[in-house]
Amino acid sequence: MTVDTEMQNSSRTADRVFGVVIIVLAAALAAAALSFPPSAQDSDPGTAALPWLIAIALAGLGAVLVARAEPNTVAPPREARVTIASIVLLTVVYALVFTTLGFLIATFLYLNAAIRLMGERRLARVVLISAAFSAALYLLFAEMLAVYLPSGLLEGII
Amino acid sequence: MNDWLIGLQAIADPLVLLLILCGVLIGIVVGALPGISATVGVAILLPFTFAMEPLQGMMLLLGIYGGAVYAGSIPAILVRAPGTPASAASVDDGNALTRQGQASQALKVSVLASSLGGIIGVIFLALLAPVLAHFALGFGPAAYFMLALLALTVVAAVSEGRMIKGLISGLIGVGIALIGLDTIQGYPRLTGGSPELASGIDYIPVMIGLFAVAEAFLQFERKFKLKMQAKGQKFTASFGWLKKLAPSSLLGSFVGFIIGVIPGTGGDIGSFVAYNEAKRTARKDKKRFGKGDIRGLAAAESSKNAGTAGALVPTLTLGIPGDVTSAVLIGAITVHGLQPGPSLFEGSPDLVNGIFIGFLVVYLVLLLLGWLGTGVWSPVIEKVPSTYLWPAVIVLSVLGCYSLRSSIFDVAVMLVAAGLGYIMIKAGFPLAPLIIGMILGPIAEEGFRRAMIIEGDLSWVMEPLPLVLLAMTVASVVLAVRRELRLRRESAVEEEGPGEEEPDAEAPGLEGTSSAEGDEVRRSQ
């Protein structure tokens, strides 16, 4: 993306939205702190003191951010939106199936998809590298370093 | 003296030496790659150390730390794109040399000064840390509260030109650390009844998500391609050349170490301060600075690596991280059931002294590899295919978080942090304050409340040590606010060229417009 388009896309809206989100967060924290018990000793400021302090400071800073918003570009460039959404979704799915499918299968599938998403088109290469990398990591961690990795579907086979 | 022998004995093990070598090699490669800073390198390779002895693991990580902080300057010098933030101060002079066909000389200056800075820094570390650790045995909760407060302010204050966002980031970190049992009353805060949240959120998955995975997501968006060409004349070092470099390298090492010791700073800021100091002391011929002066480059380079050793001082003696990378090192020690702090020096002299001697070996290895490999590294680094690299980084991150406790919960935490980090980077919120806040928030709260319980009132503030630390905190706030106001005025007047004229070198580390700018250079490519 060139500097020109970045300038065009940038606006103060993002900072203002973040400012409001931070104020809301501060309010939520303060609301939660209301139900915290009082301190057991007189001189102890208690378990709610720090949450209150954070809430007040965050609310103030959020307000400053709204007031002094500066232009910046937060949304990803149009042509990259599908890619970025896909990799985030893909990674979440990877984490979800990590234990059920097992490290080897999940990682192999994830790498296949992610490397292709990165723009690699040579299919045989993608499959080969994904397989080699997952197997190497498994051997290194599970066998050599004795770190427990879920075997999932391959339970009893490896 | 006996302690040094223990340390030497611990290091004189072929496996440990091999790990140092691997660490430095990995460090050089990851440090030079844009997007993978020393922090990311150390964080994603942390799980490799879980099954090792504490010292072995530390040697691998320290090798990566030293190597990566050095190698960040390779792309800074060759293509104006610092591989790690600490190298941002090397961009102007280093890249000017490259454009004059002196790339080879610039790379030699870089490796020599970085290694020298590291070696001097480690010697200071080894001399200072035991004394400080002994002194710190007497630190009460009030001192810890003030130290944590100082580090929190410094880290927010050095978010140049983005102090509001730095403070927000830090407070969010402190807020995340609220989750879990309150250490004094044992009350579960913000857990929503979840047993997993009751034990709190570990900062290692948060850090891996924020730094490594968020950056990986960004790389999917940008598909960055690094092109580094080191053309130009060959260079052979001469005695006169070394003599010319010596003063600024020594100056850089001192400055870098001292600033590195301040909790929360590390090498990123020291390099700018050292650069400005070298420029100031050059007196009559300071005009060449910024246009390819090897003295400026040497000052920045020696300082950033001396800062790595400086950062270990508060990390090892107090358990308060000197910078974000040393926060991971704390994780690498605590995972073995050891606690950085004064007691570590008494309980594990082999580990502590092994770290000192091993870190020295790291820099000797770096000098050797870097000097011999000046021409070799850039083509190797250029060949690392980002198409495979970033998916691999995510896999390593997931694997690393899972292996912390064999639990998918930490992976979930990491993913949430990755999403948060992605948004924060895009919206211009600095990430480091969040992690430092997460680590120091609980130390500060516990220190404050214990001090209040013991003393009954605020009288502990007037004790000598807390008072000195409070004064330093106030000073850092004042300097930061002044700097912030001046930045705003300057940007309101006009956009001036970076590093052209910067007469005021007193505000420590706040000379960092170009640090944020170096980041911009990296991001806009």
Short mmCIF file of all heavy atoms in Angstrom, two decimals, chain A residues 15 18 22 36-38 41 43-44 46-47 68 70 72-74 77 84 87 110 115 118 120 125 140 145 147-150, chain B residues 48 51 165 168 171 182 185 187 189 217 220-221 223 387-388 394-395 399 402-403 408 423 426-427 449 452-453 456 488:
data_model
loop_
_atom_site.label_atom_id
_atom_site.label_comp_id
_atom_site.label_asym_id
_atom_site.label_seq_id
_atom_site.Cartn_x
_atom_site.Cartn_y
_atom_site.Cartn_z
N ASP A 15 -9.35 6.41 16.82
CA ASP A 15 -8.94 6.83 18.16
C ASP A 15 -10.16 7.12 19.03
O ASP A 15 -10.19 6.77 20.20
CB ASP A 15 -8.06 8.08 18.08
CG ASP A 15 -6.58 7.71 17.99
OD1 ASP A 15 -6.29 6.51 17.81
OD2 ASP A 15 -5.72 8.61 18.11
N PHE A 18 -11.76 3.86 20.10
CA PHE A 18 -10.98 3.22 21.16
C PHE A 18 -11.14 3.95 22.47
O PHE A 18 -11.23 3.33 23.53
CB PHE A 18 -9.50 3.14 20.76
CG PHE A 18 -9.24 2.11 19.71
CD1 PHE A 18 -8.73 2.47 18.48
CD2 PHE A 18 -9.53 0.77 19.94
CE1 PHE A 18 -8.50 1.52 17.50
CE2 PHE A 18 -9.31 -0.18 18.97
CZ PHE A 18 -8.80 0.19 17.74
N ILE A 22 -12.50 2.19 25.85
CA ILE A 22 -11.73 2.20 27.10
C ILE A 22 -12.56 2.76 28.25
O ILE A 22 -12.52 2.23 29.37
CB ILE A 22 -10.41 2.98 26.89
CG1 ILE A 22 -9.46 2.09 26.07
CG2 ILE A 22 -9.76 3.35 28.22
CD1 ILE A 22 -8.42 2.84 25.33
N PHE A 36 -16.63 -6.06 45.44
CA PHE A 36 -15.47 -6.62 46.15
C PHE A 36 -15.60 -6.34 47.64
O PHE A 36 -16.11 -5.30 48.04
CB PHE A 36 -14.17 -6.00 45.62
CG PHE A 36 -13.81 -6.45 44.22
CD1 PHE A 36 -12.66 -5.96 43.60
CD2 PHE A 36 -14.59 -7.37 43.52
CE1 PHE A 36 -12.33 -6.37 42.31
CE2 PHE A 36 -14.26 -7.78 42.25
CZ PHE A 36 -13.12 -7.27 41.64
N PRO A 37 -15.14 -7.29 48.47
CA PRO A 37 -15.28 -7.11 49.92
C PRO A 37 -14.37 -5.99 50.44
O PRO A 37 -13.35 -5.69 49.82
CB PRO A 37 -14.84 -8.46 50.47
CG PRO A 37 -13.91 -9.00 49.44
CD PRO A 37 -14.42 -8.53 48.13
N PRO A 38 -14.73 -5.39 51.57
CA PRO A 38 -13.85 -4.38 52.17
C PRO A 38 -12.61 -5.05 52.75
O PRO A 38 -12.57 -6.26 52.90
CB PRO A 38 -14.72 -3.78 53.28
CG PRO A 38 -15.68 -4.87 53.62
CD PRO A 38 -15.93 -5.65 52.37
N GLN A 41 -8.05 -5.27 57.29
CA GLN A 41 -7.34 -4.42 58.25
C GLN A 41 -7.60 -2.95 57.94
O GLN A 41 -7.79 -2.58 56.78
CB GLN A 41 -5.83 -4.68 58.19
CG GLN A 41 -5.43 -5.92 58.94
CD GLN A 41 -4.48 -6.76 58.12
OE1 GLN A 41 -4.73 -7.08 56.96
NE2 GLN A 41 -3.37 -7.11 58.72
N SER A 43 -5.66 -0.25 57.90
CA SER A 43 -4.74 0.54 57.08
C SER A 43 -4.59 -0.03 55.66
O SER A 43 -4.02 0.62 54.81
CB SER A 43 -3.37 0.60 57.76
OG SER A 43 -2.92 -0.71 58.04
N ASP A 44 -5.09 -1.25 55.44
CA ASP A 44 -5.00 -1.83 54.10
C ASP A 44 -6.05 -1.18 53.20
O ASP A 44 -7.23 -1.16 53.54
CB ASP A 44 -5.25 -3.35 54.21
CG ASP A 44 -5.25 -4.03 52.85
OD1 ASP A 44 -4.84 -3.39 51.86
OD2 ASP A 44 -5.66 -5.21 52.79
N GLY A 46 -7.34 -2.32 50.69
CA GLY A 46 -8.33 -3.32 50.30
C GLY A 46 -8.22 -3.81 48.88
O GLY A 46 -7.49 -3.26 48.06
N THR A 47 -9.00 -4.86 48.62
CA THR A 47 -8.91 -5.55 47.34
C THR A 47 -9.52 -4.74 46.20
O THR A 47 -9.24 -4.95 45.04
CB THR A 47 -9.55 -6.95 47.46
OG1 THR A 47 -9.21 -7.70 46.31
CG2 THR A 47 -11.07 -6.87 47.58
N ARG A 68 -8.41 14.22 22.01
CA ARG A 68 -7.22 14.53 21.22
C ARG A 68 -6.93 13.44 20.19
O ARG A 68 -5.79 13.11 19.93
CB ARG A 68 -6.00 14.67 22.13
CG ARG A 68 -6.27 15.53 23.32
CD ARG A 68 -5.01 15.79 24.09
NE ARG A 68 -4.13 16.65 23.31
CZ ARG A 68 -3.12 17.32 23.84
NH1 ARG A 68 -2.86 17.21 25.12
NH2 ARG A 68 -2.36 18.08 23.10
N GLU A 70 -6.01 11.30 17.12
CA GLU A 70 -5.13 11.58 16.00
C GLU A 70 -5.46 10.66 14.85
O GLU A 70 -5.93 9.54 15.07
CB GLU A 70 -3.66 11.40 16.44
CG GLU A 70 -3.19 12.60 17.22
CD GLU A 70 -1.84 12.39 17.87
OE1 GLU A 70 -1.24 11.33 17.65
OE2 GLU A 70 -1.42 13.30 18.60
N ASN A 72 -5.26 7.91 12.19
CA ASN A 72 -4.48 6.72 11.84
C ASN A 72 -5.35 5.71 11.11
O ASN A 72 -6.57 5.83 11.08
CB ASN A 72 -3.79 6.09 13.06
CG ASN A 72 -4.76 5.74 14.15
OD1 ASN A 72 -5.96 5.68 13.93
ND2 ASN A 72 -4.25 5.51 15.34
N THR A 73 -4.70 4.75 10.50
CA THR A 73 -5.42 3.76 9.71
C THR A 73 -5.44 2.46 10.47
O THR A 73 -4.39 1.91 10.78
CB THR A 73 -4.70 3.51 8.38
OG1 THR A 73 -4.30 4.77 7.88
CG2 THR A 73 -5.58 2.80 7.39
N VAL A 74 -6.62 1.97 10.80
CA VAL A 74 -6.70 0.74 11.56
C VAL A 74 -7.20 -0.41 10.69
O VAL A 74 -6.64 -1.51 10.72
CB VAL A 74 -7.59 0.92 12.80
CG1 VAL A 74 -7.77 -0.40 13.52
CG2 VAL A 74 -6.96 1.94 13.74
N PRO A 77 -6.00 -3.06 4.63
CA PRO A 77 -6.29 -2.70 3.24
C PRO A 77 -7.30 -3.68 2.64
O PRO A 77 -7.28 -4.87 2.94
CB PRO A 77 -4.93 -2.80 2.55
CG PRO A 77 -4.05 -3.54 3.50
CD PRO A 77 -4.58 -3.29 4.86
N ILE A 84 -6.59 -11.81 6.00
CA ILE A 84 -6.39 -11.65 7.44
C ILE A 84 -7.51 -12.34 8.22
O ILE A 84 -7.25 -13.02 9.21
CB ILE A 84 -6.21 -10.15 7.81
CG1 ILE A 84 -5.81 -9.99 9.26
CG2 ILE A 84 -7.43 -9.31 7.55
CD1 ILE A 84 -4.38 -10.31 9.49
N ILE A 87 -6.79 -16.13 8.14
CA ILE A 87 -5.71 -16.67 8.98
C ILE A 87 -6.13 -16.65 10.44
O ILE A 87 -5.83 -17.59 11.19
CB ILE A 87 -4.36 -15.94 8.75
CG1 ILE A 87 -3.23 -16.66 9.49
CG2 ILE A 87 -4.38 -14.50 9.18
CD1 ILE A 87 -2.98 -18.07 9.03
N TYR A 110 -3.02 -27.40 9.35
CA TYR A 110 -2.93 -25.95 9.53
C TYR A 110 -1.84 -25.37 8.64
O TYR A 110 -2.04 -24.36 7.95
CB TYR A 110 -2.65 -25.62 10.99
CG TYR A 110 -2.45 -24.14 11.23
CD1 TYR A 110 -3.54 -23.28 11.26
CD2 TYR A 110 -1.18 -23.60 11.39
CE1 TYR A 110 -3.37 -21.92 11.44
CE2 TYR A 110 -1.00 -22.24 11.58
CZ TYR A 110 -2.10 -21.41 11.60
OH TYR A 110 -1.93 -20.06 11.77
N ILE A 115 0.26 -21.86 4.71
CA ILE A 115 1.31 -21.57 3.73
C ILE A 115 0.69 -21.20 2.39
O ILE A 115 1.16 -20.30 1.70
CB ILE A 115 2.26 -22.78 3.59
CG1 ILE A 115 3.05 -22.97 4.89
CG2 ILE A 115 3.22 -22.58 2.43
CD1 ILE A 115 3.87 -24.23 4.94
N MET A 118 -0.46 -17.77 2.47
CA MET A 118 0.67 -16.86 2.38
C MET A 118 1.07 -16.63 0.92
O MET A 118 1.91 -15.80 0.63
CB MET A 118 1.84 -17.45 3.15
CG MET A 118 2.50 -16.69 4.28
SD MET A 118 2.09 -15.02 4.61
CE MET A 118 3.55 -14.40 5.38
N GLU A 120 1.96 -19.34 -1.38
CA GLU A 120 2.72 -20.40 -2.05
C GLU A 120 1.78 -21.22 -2.92
O GLU A 120 0.73 -21.67 -2.46
CB GLU A 120 3.40 -21.28 -0.99
CG GLU A 120 4.17 -22.47 -1.52
CD GLU A 120 5.33 -22.09 -2.41
OE1 GLU A 120 6.42 -21.80 -1.88
OE2 GLU A 120 5.15 -22.09 -3.65
N ARG A 125 5.15 -28.95 -2.83
CA ARG A 125 6.07 -28.34 -1.90
C ARG A 125 5.39 -28.03 -0.58
O ARG A 125 5.94 -28.28 0.50
CB ARG A 125 6.54 -27.02 -2.52
CG ARG A 125 8.02 -26.82 -2.52
CD ARG A 125 8.27 -25.49 -3.15
NE ARG A 125 9.12 -24.70 -2.29
CZ ARG A 125 10.37 -24.40 -2.61
NH1 ARG A 125 10.87 -24.77 -3.77
NH2 ARG A 125 11.12 -23.70 -1.79
N LEU A 140 11.16 -33.58 17.94
CA LEU A 140 11.99 -32.76 18.82
C LEU A 140 11.35 -32.59 20.19
O LEU A 140 12.00 -32.81 21.22
CB LEU A 140 12.19 -31.39 18.16
CG LEU A 140 13.19 -30.47 18.84
CD1 LEU A 140 14.57 -31.11 18.84
CD2 LEU A 140 13.25 -29.12 18.14
N LEU A 145 12.67 -33.76 23.81
CA LEU A 145 12.56 -32.86 24.96
C LEU A 145 11.51 -33.33 25.96
O LEU A 145 11.30 -32.69 26.98
CB LEU A 145 12.24 -31.44 24.49
CG LEU A 145 13.33 -30.76 23.66
CD1 LEU A 145 12.83 -29.46 23.06
CD2 LEU A 145 14.56 -30.48 24.51
N VAL A 147 8.33 -33.22 26.04
CA VAL A 147 7.20 -32.32 26.30
C VAL A 147 5.95 -33.05 25.84
O VAL A 147 5.94 -33.63 24.75
CB VAL A 147 7.37 -31.00 25.51
CG1 VAL A 147 6.11 -30.15 25.57
CG2 VAL A 147 8.56 -30.22 26.03
N TYR A 148 4.89 -33.03 26.67
CA TYR A 148 3.69 -33.76 26.29
C TYR A 148 2.96 -33.04 25.16
O TYR A 148 2.67 -31.85 25.26
CB TYR A 148 2.75 -33.94 27.49
CG TYR A 148 1.41 -34.47 27.07
CD1 TYR A 148 1.25 -35.82 26.77
CD2 TYR A 148 0.31 -33.62 26.92
CE1 TYR A 148 0.03 -36.31 26.35
CE2 TYR A 148 -0.91 -34.10 26.49
CZ TYR A 148 -1.04 -35.45 26.20
OH TYR A 148 -2.25 -35.92 25.77
N LEU A 149 2.68 -33.76 24.08
CA LEU A 149 1.87 -33.21 23.00
C LEU A 149 0.71 -34.18 22.77
O LEU A 149 0.91 -35.39 22.79
CB LEU A 149 2.70 -33.08 21.72
CG LEU A 149 3.79 -32.02 21.73
CD1 LEU A 149 4.59 -32.06 20.45
CD2 LEU A 149 3.20 -30.64 21.92
N PRO A 150 -0.50 -33.66 22.54
CA PRO A 150 -1.64 -34.56 22.37
C PRO A 150 -1.50 -35.39 21.10
O PRO A 150 -1.13 -34.87 20.05
CB PRO A 150 -2.83 -33.60 22.27
CG PRO A 150 -2.26 -32.29 21.85
CD PRO A 150 -0.87 -32.24 22.40
N PHE B 48 11.42 -24.67 24.17
CA PHE B 48 12.53 -25.60 23.99
C PHE B 48 13.33 -25.77 25.28
O PHE B 48 14.03 -26.76 25.45
CB PHE B 48 13.49 -25.10 22.90
CG PHE B 48 12.95 -25.26 21.51
CD1 PHE B 48 12.21 -24.25 20.92
CD2 PHE B 48 13.20 -26.40 20.78
CE1 PHE B 48 11.71 -24.39 19.65
CE2 PHE B 48 12.71 -26.55 19.50
CZ PHE B 48 11.95 -25.54 18.92
N ALA B 51 12.48 -28.52 29.06
CA ALA B 51 13.02 -29.82 29.45
C ALA B 51 14.50 -29.76 29.77
O ALA B 51 15.10 -30.76 30.13
CB ALA B 51 12.75 -30.84 28.35
N LYS B 165 -1.40 6.63 24.86
CA LYS B 165 -1.64 5.24 24.49
C LYS B 165 -0.73 4.29 25.27
O LYS B 165 -1.13 3.17 25.61
CB LYS B 165 -1.45 5.06 22.98
CG LYS B 165 -2.60 5.70 22.21
CD LYS B 165 -2.47 5.53 20.72
CE LYS B 165 -3.72 6.07 20.04
NZ LYS B 165 -3.62 6.07 18.59
N ILE B 168 -2.37 3.89 28.65
CA ILE B 168 -3.56 3.02 28.55
C ILE B 168 -3.11 1.56 28.46
O ILE B 168 -3.62 0.69 29.18
CB ILE B 168 -4.42 3.41 27.33
CG1 ILE B 168 -5.04 4.79 27.55
CG2 ILE B 168 -5.49 2.36 27.07
CD1 ILE B 168 -5.81 5.34 26.37
N LEU B 171 -1.95 0.33 31.83
CA LEU B 171 -3.05 0.12 32.77
C LEU B 171 -3.86 -1.13 32.41
O LEU B 171 -4.34 -1.84 33.30
CB LEU B 171 -3.97 1.34 32.78
CG LEU B 171 -3.44 2.54 33.59
CD1 LEU B 171 -4.28 3.77 33.32
CD2 LEU B 171 -3.44 2.20 35.07
N ASP B 182 -6.59 -12.40 44.78
CA ASP B 182 -5.87 -11.28 45.36
C ASP B 182 -4.90 -11.84 46.40
O ASP B 182 -5.28 -12.64 47.26
CB ASP B 182 -6.93 -10.34 45.94
CG ASP B 182 -6.43 -9.51 47.10
OD1 ASP B 182 -5.22 -9.34 47.22
OD2 ASP B 182 -7.27 -9.04 47.87
N GLN B 185 -5.90 -10.71 50.40
CA GLN B 185 -7.16 -11.14 51.01
C GLN B 185 -7.64 -12.49 50.48
O GLN B 185 -8.61 -13.05 50.99
CB GLN B 185 -8.25 -10.09 50.77
CG GLN B 185 -8.20 -8.95 51.77
CD GLN B 185 -9.10 -7.82 51.36
OE1 GLN B 185 -8.69 -6.90 50.68
NE2 GLN B 185 -10.37 -7.91 51.75
N TYR B 187 -9.17 -12.99 47.78
CA TYR B 187 -10.48 -12.84 47.12
C TYR B 187 -10.32 -13.00 45.61
O TYR B 187 -9.44 -12.38 45.01
CB TYR B 187 -11.06 -11.46 47.46
CG TYR B 187 -12.38 -11.20 46.78
CD1 TYR B 187 -13.56 -11.77 47.26
CD2 TYR B 187 -12.45 -10.41 45.63
CE1 TYR B 187 -14.76 -11.55 46.62
CE2 TYR B 187 -13.65 -10.18 44.98
CZ TYR B 187 -14.81 -10.76 45.48
OH TYR B 187 -15.99 -10.55 44.84
N ARG B 189 -10.75 -12.09 42.08
CA ARG B 189 -11.22 -10.89 41.37
C ARG B 189 -11.43 -11.21 39.89
O ARG B 189 -10.60 -11.86 39.26
CB ARG B 189 -10.17 -9.78 41.49
CG ARG B 189 -10.10 -9.20 42.89
CD ARG B 189 -9.24 -7.96 42.94
NE ARG B 189 -7.83 -8.25 42.76
CZ ARG B 189 -6.85 -7.45 43.19
NH1 ARG B 189 -7.14 -6.32 43.79
NH2 ARG B 189 -5.60 -7.76 43.00
N PHE B 217 0.15 -12.29 12.08
CA PHE B 217 -1.10 -11.89 11.41
C PHE B 217 -0.84 -10.70 10.48
O PHE B 217 -1.29 -10.67 9.34
CB PHE B 217 -2.18 -11.52 12.43
CG PHE B 217 -2.79 -12.71 13.14
CD1 PHE B 217 -3.59 -12.54 14.25
CD2 PHE B 217 -2.55 -14.00 12.69
CE1 PHE B 217 -4.15 -13.62 14.91
CE2 PHE B 217 -3.11 -15.10 13.34
CZ PHE B 217 -3.90 -14.90 14.45
N PHE B 220 0.73 -11.63 7.26
CA PHE B 220 -0.18 -12.20 6.27
C PHE B 220 -0.84 -11.09 5.46
O PHE B 220 -1.20 -11.26 4.31
CB PHE B 220 -1.27 -13.05 6.96
CG PHE B 220 -0.86 -14.47 7.16
CD1 PHE B 220 -0.12 -14.84 8.27
CD2 PHE B 220 -1.19 -15.43 6.23
CE1 PHE B 220 0.28 -16.15 8.44
CE2 PHE B 220 -0.80 -16.75 6.41
CZ PHE B 220 -0.06 -17.10 7.51
N GLU B 221 -0.96 -9.94 6.12
CA GLU B 221 -1.59 -8.81 5.47
C GLU B 221 -0.62 -8.14 4.50
O GLU B 221 -1.00 -7.63 3.47
CB GLU B 221 -1.99 -7.85 6.57
CG GLU B 221 -2.86 -6.74 6.18
CD GLU B 221 -3.22 -5.94 7.43
OE1 GLU B 221 -3.71 -6.53 8.40
OE2 GLU B 221 -2.98 -4.73 7.43
N LYS B 223 2.74 -9.38 3.48
CA LYS B 223 3.62 -10.22 2.66
C LYS B 223 4.92 -9.49 2.32
O LYS B 223 5.26 -9.25 1.18
CB LYS B 223 2.89 -10.68 1.41
CG LYS B 223 1.60 -11.37 1.79
CD LYS B 223 1.06 -12.27 0.72
CE LYS B 223 -0.11 -13.05 1.28
NZ LYS B 223 -1.29 -13.00 0.45
N THR B 387 6.95 -16.92 3.42
CA THR B 387 5.78 -17.76 3.16
C THR B 387 5.71 -18.92 4.15
O THR B 387 4.64 -19.33 4.58
CB THR B 387 5.89 -18.37 1.75
OG1 THR B 387 6.62 -17.47 0.93
CG2 THR B 387 4.55 -18.65 1.17
N TYR B 388 6.87 -19.47 4.50
CA TYR B 388 6.89 -20.61 5.43
C TYR B 388 7.16 -20.15 6.85
O TYR B 388 6.74 -20.77 7.81
CB TYR B 388 7.97 -21.61 5.01
CG TYR B 388 7.76 -22.14 3.62
CD1 TYR B 388 8.54 -21.72 2.56
CD2 TYR B 388 6.74 -23.07 3.37
CE1 TYR B 388 8.32 -22.21 1.28
CE2 TYR B 388 6.51 -23.55 2.10
CZ TYR B 388 7.31 -23.11 1.05
OH TYR B 388 7.07 -23.58 -0.20
N ILE B 394 3.50 -19.17 14.04
CA ILE B 394 2.22 -19.38 14.74
C ILE B 394 2.18 -20.78 15.35
O ILE B 394 1.79 -20.96 16.50
CB ILE B 394 1.01 -19.16 13.79
CG1 ILE B 394 1.06 -17.74 13.22
CG2 ILE B 394 -0.30 -19.39 14.55
CD1 ILE B 394 -0.08 -17.41 12.29
N VAL B 395 2.61 -21.78 14.59
CA VAL B 395 2.62 -23.15 15.12
C VAL B 395 3.50 -23.24 16.36
O VAL B 395 3.09 -23.81 17.39
CB VAL B 395 3.10 -24.15 14.03
CG1 VAL B 395 3.41 -25.50 14.65
CG2 VAL B 395 2.04 -24.30 12.95
N LEU B 399 2.22 -24.27 20.08
CA LEU B 399 2.92 -25.36 20.74
C LEU B 399 3.52 -24.90 22.07
O LEU B 399 3.40 -25.57 23.10
CB LEU B 399 4.01 -25.87 19.79
CG LEU B 399 5.04 -26.86 20.31
CD1 LEU B 399 4.35 -28.09 20.84
CD2 LEU B 399 6.00 -27.25 19.21
N TYR B 402 0.81 -24.25 24.70
CA TYR B 402 0.23 -25.51 25.14
C TYR B 402 1.17 -26.21 26.11
O TYR B 402 0.75 -26.73 27.14
CB TYR B 402 -0.07 -26.41 23.94
CG TYR B 402 -0.70 -27.72 24.33
CD1 TYR B 402 -2.06 -27.80 24.60
CD2 TYR B 402 0.08 -28.86 24.47
CE1 TYR B 402 -2.63 -28.99 25.00
CE2 TYR B 402 -0.49 -30.06 24.87
CZ TYR B 402 -1.85 -30.12 25.13
OH TYR B 402 -2.41 -31.30 25.53
N SER B 403 2.46 -26.21 25.78
CA SER B 403 3.39 -26.99 26.59
C SER B 403 3.70 -26.36 27.94
O SER B 403 4.31 -26.99 28.78
CB SER B 403 4.69 -27.25 25.82
OG SER B 403 5.29 -26.04 25.47
N ILE B 408 -5.06 -26.27 26.93
CA ILE B 408 -5.47 -25.48 25.78
C ILE B 408 -5.93 -24.10 26.25
O ILE B 408 -6.04 -23.17 25.46
CB ILE B 408 -6.58 -26.23 24.99
CG1 ILE B 408 -6.54 -25.85 23.50
CG2 ILE B 408 -7.94 -26.01 25.57
CD1 ILE B 408 -5.42 -26.48 22.73
N ILE B 423 -4.83 -5.45 16.94
CA ILE B 423 -5.56 -4.18 16.97
C ILE B 423 -4.69 -3.07 17.56
O ILE B 423 -4.64 -1.96 17.05
CB ILE B 423 -6.87 -4.33 17.78
CG1 ILE B 423 -7.79 -5.32 17.07
CG2 ILE B 423 -7.57 -3.00 17.97
CD1 ILE B 423 -8.99 -5.74 17.87
N LYS B 426 -2.11 -1.84 15.09
CA LYS B 426 -2.74 -1.04 14.03
C LYS B 426 -3.17 0.33 14.55
O LYS B 426 -3.13 1.32 13.83
CB LYS B 426 -3.94 -1.79 13.46
CG LYS B 426 -3.55 -3.05 12.75
CD LYS B 426 -4.21 -3.14 11.42
CE LYS B 426 -3.21 -3.03 10.29
NZ LYS B 426 -3.84 -2.88 9.01
N ALA B 427 -3.63 0.36 15.80
CA ALA B 427 -4.14 1.62 16.33
C ALA B 427 -3.04 2.44 17.01
O ALA B 427 -3.32 3.49 17.57
CB ALA B 427 -5.26 1.33 17.32
N ARG B 449 0.22 -2.46 49.62
CA ARG B 449 -0.69 -2.88 50.69
C ARG B 449 0.07 -3.45 51.89
O ARG B 449 -0.30 -3.19 53.04
CB ARG B 449 -1.70 -3.88 50.15
CG ARG B 449 -2.64 -3.21 49.14
CD ARG B 449 -3.58 -4.17 48.48
NE ARG B 449 -4.49 -4.78 49.44
CZ ARG B 449 -5.35 -5.74 49.10
NH1 ARG B 449 -5.38 -6.20 47.86
NH2 ARG B 449 -6.15 -6.26 50.00
N MET B 452 1.43 -0.58 53.79
CA MET B 452 0.37 0.08 54.55
C MET B 452 -0.02 -0.72 55.78
O MET B 452 -0.25 -0.16 56.86
CB MET B 452 -0.89 0.26 53.68
CG MET B 452 -0.77 1.28 52.58
SD MET B 452 -0.34 2.93 53.15
CE MET B 452 -1.85 3.42 53.94
N ILE B 453 -0.05 -2.05 55.63
CA ILE B 453 -0.45 -2.89 56.76
C ILE B 453 0.62 -2.83 57.86
O ILE B 453 0.32 -2.69 59.04
CB ILE B 453 -0.69 -4.34 56.30
CG1 ILE B 453 -1.95 -4.39 55.42
CG2 ILE B 453 -0.83 -5.28 57.48
CD1 ILE B 453 -2.17 -5.71 54.71
N GLY B 456 0.89 1.14 58.96
CA GLY B 456 -0.35 1.74 59.43
C GLY B 456 -0.71 3.04 58.73
O GLY B 456 -1.85 3.48 58.76
N ARG B 488 4.77 17.65 20.41
CA ARG B 488 3.51 18.15 19.87
C ARG B 488 3.71 19.51 19.21
O ARG B 488 3.18 19.77 18.14
CB ARG B 488 2.48 18.30 21.00
CG ARG B 488 1.79 17.01 21.32
CD ARG B 488 0.70 17.22 22.35
NE ARG B 488 0.21 15.94 22.81
CZ ARG B 488 -0.66 15.20 22.14
NH1 ARG B 488 -1.13 15.61 20.99
NH2 ARG B 488 -1.05 14.04 22.61
#
